[in-house]
Amino acid sequence: MLPEAERLKVTDARKIIYPGKNHDAWWDLNQLIEQTKHAVDIFEYLQPNKVGIWLFDCSSAHEGLAADALNVNNMNVNPGGKQKLMHTTIIPISNPPPKPGCPDT
């Protein structure tokens, strides 16, 4: 038997939910992330030294963005409104200017 630290926490990446009033929460980005972590652990255990390719259909977590993501739908057009706290943007000094004739990235 494997030591506790080397055992898989989950052996089946499938997740069945029963959403609705007084039941499970509707499928969201946080649940997708947890399920993906388990799926990757299972893959790495069963396929050591292999590369996995993971494809996602966006309908599973439609509009799944981080809470502090820059999203035009959450921006104010007028001053004084409520706005979510977002990451500060820092452009490092080592960031070179664009080459002549090339767009700024």
Side-chain angles (χ1 to χ4, degrees):
M1 185 175 241
L2 289 172
E4 184 73 30
E6 294 180 27
R7 293 184 204 162
L8 290 172
K9 293 182 180 112
V10 174
T11 57
D12 187 357
R14 176 180 53 187
K15 173 78 171 155
I16 298 173
I17 62 171
Y18 301 97
K21 187 175 181 184
N22 299 324
H23 294 287
D24 296 328
W26 291 99
W27 193 248
D28 61 9
L29 184 62
N30 292 332
Q31 293 178 57
L32 176 64
I33 290 170
E34 279 304 307
Q35 183 184 20
T36 303
K37 287 178 185 177
H38 295 312
V40 169
D41 288 343
I42 293 168
F43 174 81
E44 288 177 344
Y45 178 80
L46 295 174
Q47 306 292 331
N49 302 316
K50 303 288 186 203
V51 175
I53 298 174
W54 304 87
L55 304 172
F56 294 90
D57 177 357
C58 289
S59 65
S60 297
H62 192 65
E63 295 185 18
L65 300 171
D68 59 355
L70 181 60
N71 183 352
V72 70
N73 296 318
N74 296 336
M75 297 173 81
N76 297 326
V77 286
N78 298 319
K82 280 190 168 182
Q83 192 167 15
K84 290 187 175 187
L85 184 62
M86 297 185 201
H87 285 295
T88 56
T89 302
I90 299 171
I91 299 175
I93 294 175
S94 64
N95 187 25
K99 295 179 181 174
C102 294
D104 190 359
T105 58

